[in-house]
Amino acid sequence: MSAQSESLPSTGQPVGLTVDATPAQRPGPVTLTGRYGRAERLAQHHDAALWQALEGHDQTWTYMGYGPFADLAAFSQWLGSRVALDDPYAYAIIDRSGQAVGIATLMEIRPAMRVIEVGNIVYSPALQRTALGTEAQYLLARYAFETLGYRRYEWKCNALNAPSRKAALRYGFAFEGILRQHMIVKGRSRDTAYYSMLDNEWPARKAAFERWLAPENFDASGRQRTSLGELNAVR
């Protein structure tokens, strides 16, 4: 038998290992604070700052199931609809100045299976390629594994979304495959790339995140000394 299976005593057939079947918890209105900013429950009052950060950057919405938006009123109405949802459960990403610069959600929430996904990620240009952008992913993953008790943490994206696929590997997710013609989004066919991170992989991923986020990993100009991809051995 492999490390992921054992023999069923009554029949000798291979079956999965016994695991703790206690359901995980659902995400809640927590504030996750880091060195570079925080993630907090998305609220209607975040609309103006987020619109200011996202206005005119239509490329941000290309692979999303919604957007771009014509004006603040349309964006605010959409944001209000997201605030009301329990799944996806949305968090605003707040920078050191207190401004909302992005959104990320915990979604496809299956407590009984202890599976959850991080997705619907909207990073404004002010958040892209920043330490806070990475730290927000660390904070959400740590919350999902260590507080909520999930054993599988998923990342899914349009297979044509090269930046998202690169980010998944950089953050330490493992590529699992592509589901062909998986969805229709904005009237277009979408193949979906699947990635995952497991609870037994989290300690190493956590260590990589924390080493990358440490102040000593950045020089006086703010340039990284060692990349997160290197720390996660991305090839």
Side-chain angles (χ1 to χ4, degrees), residues 34-66:
R35 180 177 287 113
Y36 303 101
R38 66 183 188 272
E40 64 185 31
R41 177 65 165 132
L42 183 68
Q44 190 66 52
H45 67 78
H46 292 124
D47 58 357
L50 284 168
W51 176 249
Q52 182 179 11
L54 291 163
E55 183 182 8
H57 300 288
D58 289 359
Q59 70 277 9
T60 303
W61 307 97
T62 299
Y63 298 107
M64 310 299 287
Y66 36 75

Short mmCIF file of all heavy atoms in Angstrom, two decimals, residues 34-66:
data_model
loop_
_atom_site.label_atom_id
_atom_site.label_comp_id
_atom_site.label_asym_id
_atom_site.label_seq_id
_atom_site.Cartn_x
_atom_site.Cartn_y
_atom_site.Cartn_z
N GLY A 34 -0.82 41.91 9.44
CA GLY A 34 0.56 41.54 9.15
C GLY A 34 1.50 42.71 9.31
O GLY A 34 1.14 43.75 9.87
N ARG A 35 2.70 42.56 8.79
CA ARG A 35 3.71 43.62 8.89
C ARG A 35 3.44 44.75 7.90
O ARG A 35 3.73 45.91 8.17
CB ARG A 35 5.10 43.01 8.63
CG ARG A 35 6.25 44.00 8.70
CD ARG A 35 7.60 43.32 8.52
NE ARG A 35 7.97 42.54 9.69
CZ ARG A 35 8.06 41.21 9.71
NH1 ARG A 35 7.80 40.50 8.61
NH2 ARG A 35 8.42 40.58 10.81
N TYR A 36 2.87 44.41 6.75
CA TYR A 36 2.72 45.38 5.67
C TYR A 36 1.29 45.89 5.50
O TYR A 36 1.05 46.80 4.70
CB TYR A 36 3.21 44.76 4.36
CG TYR A 36 4.64 44.29 4.46
CD1 TYR A 36 4.94 42.94 4.66
CD2 TYR A 36 5.69 45.19 4.39
CE1 TYR A 36 6.25 42.50 4.77
CE2 TYR A 36 7.01 44.76 4.50
CZ TYR A 36 7.28 43.42 4.69
OH TYR A 36 8.58 43.00 4.80
N GLY A 37 0.35 45.32 6.21
CA GLY A 37 -1.05 45.73 6.10
C GLY A 37 -1.93 44.69 6.75
O GLY A 37 -1.49 43.93 7.61
N ARG A 38 -3.17 44.63 6.29
CA ARG A 38 -4.11 43.69 6.91
C ARG A 38 -5.19 43.29 5.91
O ARG A 38 -5.38 43.93 4.87
CB ARG A 38 -4.76 44.32 8.14
CG ARG A 38 -5.67 45.51 7.85
CD ARG A 38 -6.23 46.12 9.12
NE ARG A 38 -7.24 47.15 8.86
CZ ARG A 38 -6.97 48.44 8.66
NH1 ARG A 38 -5.72 48.87 8.69
NH2 ARG A 38 -7.96 49.29 8.44
N ALA A 39 -5.90 42.22 6.26
CA ALA A 39 -7.10 41.80 5.54
C ALA A 39 -8.25 41.86 6.53
O ALA A 39 -8.13 41.37 7.65
CB ALA A 39 -6.94 40.39 4.99
N GLU A 40 -9.35 42.48 6.13
CA GLU A 40 -10.51 42.60 7.00
C GLU A 40 -11.77 42.34 6.18
O GLU A 40 -11.76 42.42 4.96
CB GLU A 40 -10.57 43.98 7.65
CG GLU A 40 -10.75 45.13 6.68
CD GLU A 40 -10.68 46.49 7.35
OE1 GLU A 40 -9.94 46.62 8.36
OE2 GLU A 40 -11.33 47.44 6.86
N ARG A 41 -12.85 42.01 6.86
CA ARG A 41 -14.11 41.71 6.18
C ARG A 41 -14.48 42.86 5.24
O ARG A 41 -14.47 44.03 5.63
CB ARG A 41 -15.21 41.51 7.22
CG ARG A 41 -16.60 41.25 6.63
CD ARG A 41 -16.67 39.95 5.87
NE ARG A 41 -18.05 39.54 5.63
CZ ARG A 41 -18.52 39.15 4.44
NH1 ARG A 41 -17.74 39.14 3.38
NH2 ARG A 41 -19.78 38.76 4.32
N LEU A 42 -14.76 42.54 3.99
CA LEU A 42 -15.18 43.54 3.02
C LEU A 42 -16.46 44.22 3.50
O LEU A 42 -17.40 43.55 3.95
CB LEU A 42 -15.42 42.88 1.66
CG LEU A 42 -15.80 43.82 0.52
CD1 LEU A 42 -14.62 44.71 0.15
CD2 LEU A 42 -16.26 43.01 -0.70
N ALA A 43 -16.50 45.54 3.38
CA ALA A 43 -17.66 46.32 3.81
C ALA A 43 -17.97 47.38 2.76
O ALA A 43 -17.12 47.75 1.94
CB ALA A 43 -17.39 46.98 5.16
N GLN A 44 -19.19 47.87 2.80
CA GLN A 44 -19.62 48.86 1.81
C GLN A 44 -18.74 50.10 1.82
O GLN A 44 -18.47 50.70 0.77
CB GLN A 44 -21.08 49.25 2.06
CG GLN A 44 -21.69 50.07 0.94
CD GLN A 44 -21.83 49.29 -0.35
OE1 GLN A 44 -22.39 48.20 -0.37
NE2 GLN A 44 -21.31 49.83 -1.45
N HIS A 45 -18.22 50.47 2.98
CA HIS A 45 -17.43 51.70 3.06
C HIS A 45 -16.08 51.59 2.36
O HIS A 45 -15.37 52.59 2.20
CB HIS A 45 -17.24 52.12 4.52
CG HIS A 45 -16.39 51.19 5.33
ND1 HIS A 45 -15.01 51.18 5.26
CD2 HIS A 45 -16.72 50.23 6.25
CE1 HIS A 45 -14.53 50.27 6.09
NE2 HIS A 45 -15.54 49.68 6.70
N HIS A 46 -15.71 50.38 1.92
CA HIS A 46 -14.46 50.22 1.17
C HIS A 46 -14.61 50.64 -0.29
O HIS A 46 -13.61 50.68 -1.03
CB HIS A 46 -13.99 48.76 1.22
CG HIS A 46 -13.56 48.29 2.56
ND1 HIS A 46 -14.11 47.18 3.18
CD2 HIS A 46 -12.64 48.77 3.43
CE1 HIS A 46 -13.53 46.98 4.34
NE2 HIS A 46 -12.64 47.94 4.53
N ASP A 47 -15.83 50.92 -0.73
CA ASP A 47 -16.07 51.09 -2.16
C ASP A 47 -15.29 52.24 -2.78
O ASP A 47 -14.68 52.09 -3.85
CB ASP A 47 -17.57 51.20 -2.48
CG ASP A 47 -18.27 52.35 -1.76
OD1 ASP A 47 -17.62 53.05 -0.94
OD2 ASP A 47 -19.48 52.54 -2.00
N ALA A 48 -15.27 53.40 -2.13
CA ALA A 48 -14.63 54.57 -2.74
C ALA A 48 -13.12 54.36 -2.92
O ALA A 48 -12.56 54.67 -3.98
CB ALA A 48 -14.90 55.81 -1.90
N ALA A 49 -12.46 53.84 -1.89
CA ALA A 49 -11.01 53.62 -1.98
C ALA A 49 -10.68 52.56 -3.02
O ALA A 49 -9.72 52.72 -3.80
CB ALA A 49 -10.45 53.22 -0.62
N LEU A 50 -11.47 51.50 -3.05
CA LEU A 50 -11.22 50.45 -4.03
C LEU A 50 -11.44 50.97 -5.45
O LEU A 50 -10.67 50.66 -6.36
CB LEU A 50 -12.11 49.24 -3.75
CG LEU A 50 -11.68 48.37 -2.57
CD1 LEU A 50 -12.78 47.39 -2.21
CD2 LEU A 50 -10.39 47.62 -2.90
N TRP A 51 -12.50 51.75 -5.63
CA TRP A 51 -12.75 52.30 -6.96
C TRP A 51 -11.62 53.22 -7.39
O TRP A 51 -11.17 53.18 -8.54
CB TRP A 51 -14.09 53.04 -7.00
CG TRP A 51 -14.36 53.69 -8.32
CD1 TRP A 51 -14.39 55.03 -8.60
CD2 TRP A 51 -14.61 53.03 -9.57
NE1 TRP A 51 -14.64 55.24 -9.92
CE2 TRP A 51 -14.78 54.03 -10.55
CE3 TRP A 51 -14.69 51.68 -9.94
CZ2 TRP A 51 -15.05 53.73 -11.89
CZ3 TRP A 51 -14.96 51.38 -11.27
CH2 TRP A 51 -15.13 52.39 -12.23
N GLN A 52 -11.13 54.02 -6.48
CA GLN A 52 -10.01 54.91 -6.80
C GLN A 52 -8.79 54.10 -7.24
O GLN A 52 -8.06 54.50 -8.16
CB GLN A 52 -9.66 55.77 -5.58
CG GLN A 52 -8.54 56.77 -5.84
CD GLN A 52 -8.24 57.64 -4.63
OE1 GLN A 52 -8.72 57.38 -3.52
NE2 GLN A 52 -7.44 58.66 -4.80
N ALA A 53 -8.56 52.95 -6.59
CA ALA A 53 -7.40 52.12 -6.92
C ALA A 53 -7.58 51.34 -8.22
O ALA A 53 -6.60 51.01 -8.89
CB ALA A 53 -7.12 51.16 -5.77
N LEU A 54 -8.85 51.05 -8.57
CA LEU A 54 -9.12 50.17 -9.72
C LEU A 54 -9.61 50.90 -10.96
O LEU A 54 -9.56 50.33 -12.06
CB LEU A 54 -10.17 49.13 -9.32
CG LEU A 54 -9.71 48.08 -8.31
CD1 LEU A 54 -10.92 47.38 -7.68
CD2 LEU A 54 -8.80 47.06 -8.98
N GLU A 55 -10.07 52.13 -10.82
CA GLU A 55 -10.66 52.84 -11.95
C GLU A 55 -9.66 52.96 -13.11
O GLU A 55 -8.50 53.31 -12.93
CB GLU A 55 -11.09 54.24 -11.52
CG GLU A 55 -11.77 55.03 -12.63
CD GLU A 55 -12.16 56.44 -12.21
OE1 GLU A 55 -11.76 56.86 -11.10
OE2 GLU A 55 -12.87 57.10 -12.99
N GLY A 56 -10.15 52.61 -14.30
CA GLY A 56 -9.32 52.73 -15.50
C GLY A 56 -8.42 51.55 -15.77
O GLY A 56 -7.74 51.51 -16.80
N HIS A 57 -8.42 50.57 -14.88
CA HIS A 57 -7.55 49.40 -15.06
C HIS A 57 -8.40 48.19 -15.46
O HIS A 57 -8.55 47.22 -14.71
CB HIS A 57 -6.76 49.14 -13.78
CG HIS A 57 -5.89 50.28 -13.36
ND1 HIS A 57 -4.74 50.63 -14.04
CD2 HIS A 57 -6.03 51.19 -12.36
CE1 HIS A 57 -4.19 51.69 -13.46
NE2 HIS A 57 -4.95 52.05 -12.45
N ASP A 58 -8.98 48.28 -16.65
CA ASP A 58 -9.92 47.26 -17.10
C ASP A 58 -9.30 45.87 -17.20
O ASP A 58 -10.00 44.86 -17.08
CB ASP A 58 -10.51 47.64 -18.47
CG ASP A 58 -11.48 48.81 -18.37
OD1 ASP A 58 -11.69 49.31 -17.26
OD2 ASP A 58 -12.01 49.23 -19.42
N GLN A 59 -7.97 45.79 -17.40
CA GLN A 59 -7.32 44.50 -17.52
C GLN A 59 -7.43 43.68 -16.24
O GLN A 59 -7.29 42.45 -16.27
CB GLN A 59 -5.84 44.68 -17.90
CG GLN A 59 -4.95 45.26 -16.82
CD GLN A 59 -5.00 46.78 -16.73
OE1 GLN A 59 -5.83 47.43 -17.37
NE2 GLN A 59 -4.11 47.36 -15.94
N THR A 60 -7.69 44.35 -15.13
CA THR A 60 -7.85 43.65 -13.85
C THR A 60 -9.01 42.67 -13.90
O THR A 60 -9.00 41.64 -13.21
CB THR A 60 -8.08 44.67 -12.72
OG1 THR A 60 -6.99 45.60 -12.70
CG2 THR A 60 -8.19 43.98 -11.37
N TRP A 61 -10.03 42.96 -14.71
CA TRP A 61 -11.28 42.20 -14.71
C TRP A 61 -11.38 41.18 -15.84
O TRP A 61 -12.38 40.48 -15.94
CB TRP A 61 -12.46 43.17 -14.80
CG TRP A 61 -12.42 44.24 -13.77
CD1 TRP A 61 -11.95 45.53 -13.93
CD2 TRP A 61 -12.84 44.15 -12.41
NE1 TRP A 61 -12.05 46.22 -12.75
CE2 TRP A 61 -12.60 45.41 -11.80
CE3 TRP A 61 -13.41 43.12 -11.64
CZ2 TRP A 61 -12.90 45.66 -10.46
CZ3 TRP A 61 -13.70 43.38 -10.31
CH2 TRP A 61 -13.46 44.63 -9.74
N THR A 62 -10.36 41.09 -16.68
CA THR A 62 -10.47 40.26 -17.89
C THR A 62 -10.88 38.83 -17.60
O THR A 62 -11.72 38.26 -18.30
CB THR A 62 -9.12 40.27 -18.65
OG1 THR A 62 -8.83 41.62 -19.04
CG2 THR A 62 -9.20 39.37 -19.89
N TYR A 63 -10.31 38.22 -16.59
CA TYR A 63 -10.58 36.80 -16.31
C TYR A 63 -11.61 36.59 -15.20
O TYR A 63 -11.82 35.47 -14.76
CB TYR A 63 -9.27 36.10 -15.95
CG TYR A 63 -8.27 36.12 -17.09
CD1 TYR A 63 -7.14 36.94 -17.03
CD2 TYR A 63 -8.46 35.36 -18.23
CE1 TYR A 63 -6.23 36.98 -18.08
CE2 TYR A 63 -7.56 35.39 -19.28
CZ TYR A 63 -6.44 36.21 -19.20
OH TYR A 63 -5.56 36.24 -20.25
N MET A 64 -12.22 37.67 -14.75
CA MET A 64 -13.25 37.57 -13.71
C MET A 64 -14.62 37.38 -14.35
O MET A 64 -14.82 37.68 -15.53
CB MET A 64 -13.26 38.84 -12.85
CG MET A 64 -11.89 39.25 -12.31
SD MET A 64 -11.13 38.01 -11.25
CE MET A 64 -12.12 38.18 -9.78
N GLY A 65 -15.58 36.94 -13.56
CA GLY A 65 -16.94 36.73 -14.06
C GLY A 65 -17.76 37.99 -14.04
O GLY A 65 -18.96 37.96 -14.37
N TYR A 66 -17.17 39.13 -13.69
CA TYR A 66 -17.85 40.41 -13.58
C TYR A 66 -16.83 41.50 -13.91
O TYR A 66 -15.63 41.25 -14.01
CB TYR A 66 -18.39 40.60 -12.16
CG TYR A 66 -17.49 40.03 -11.10
CD1 TYR A 66 -16.31 40.67 -10.73
CD2 TYR A 66 -17.77 38.79 -10.53
CE1 TYR A 66 -15.46 40.11 -9.80
CE2 TYR A 66 -16.91 38.22 -9.59
CZ TYR A 66 -15.76 38.90 -9.23
OH TYR A 66 -14.91 38.34 -8.31
#
